[in-house]
Amino acid sequence: MLEPTEKEIYNELLWELEKDNYRYKPVDIQTFIEDDYYLGQIYGKGHIYPFWMKFLKKVYPSPFVSPYEEIILSCAIGAGKSSVTSISIAYEIYKLLCLKNANEYYRLLETDSIVFMLFAATQGTAQDYRDWE
């Protein structure tokens, strides 16, 4: 039997500390991307650049903590910024849905909203949500 890695021990400890706040134990970022139950049918194994997978693992070393509050991606067109951003936001929403009560967890009022914002470089690359109907 393989000994657990330091990262696995760390994640299990965090789970033990946090489990009363969760309905479901959230999976790690790699599982979220590759497993067909989550994004695997879209990205699957090998459909995301190795650089970005390594980057996301650094941003999300655990489903319970991230060392970053804000990330700015600036690189060439077609490098994968939009895909990584989409994956990241989907993962954040997924982790919120795993919580029993997100507002209580983040010490918000029940009437407060949790909002995700995306920014576009130009007006041409942005679209008004009212156009979606």
Side-chain angles (χ1 to χ4, degrees):
M1 183 173 168
L2 295 173
E3 291 294 318
T5 65
E6 196 171 303
K7 183 178 177 181
E8 290 168 336
I9 293 168
Y10 172 72
N11 283 331
E12 199 53 41
L13 176 61
L14 289 174
W15 169 245
E16 287 300 318
L17 293 171
E18 293 284 345
K19 69 182 177 184
D20 290 341
N21 296 311
Y22 285 85
R23 263 183 258 202
Y24 312 104
K25 183 178 181 181
V27 299
D28 63 77
I29 188 68
Q30 184 166 354
T31 302
F32 185 73
I33 294 167
E34 294 179 347
D35 191 302
D36 283 351
Y37 185 77
Y38 304 101
L39 298 182
Q41 292 183 22
I42 299 166
Y43 292 102
K45 287 189 177 185
H47 286 93
I48 181 170
Y49 293 129
F51 170 83
W52 288 120
M53 182 63 84
K54 185 177 178 182
F55 171 81
L56 287 167
K57 286 180 177 182
K58 185 174 181 181
V59 172
Y60 298 108
S62 166
F64 309 105
V65 295
S66 175
Y68 304 96
E69 288 185 19
E70 182 177 324
I71 296 171
I72 298 171
L73 301 176
S74 178
C75 47
I77 293 172
K81 297 180 301 292
S82 294
S83 293
V84 167
T85 302
S86 297
I87 291 168
S88 185
I89 288 176
Y91 190 57
E92 291 291 344
I93 292 170
Y94 158 73
K95 292 189 309 173
L96 278 175
L97 292 172
C98 288
L99 288 167
K100 288 179 183 174
N101 185 330
N103 284 49
E104 183 179 300
Y105 183 79
Y106 289 106
R107 297 186 178 125
L108 303 172
L109 298 174
E110 287 297 322
T111 55
D112 288 343
S113 297
I114 296 173
V115 178
F116 288 85
M117 296 181 70
L118 297 174
F119 295 89
T122 66
Q123 186 174 0
T125 58
Q127 183 179 5
D128 192 317
Y129 72 91
R130 292 171 290 197
D131 295 339
W132 297 352
E133 296 175 26

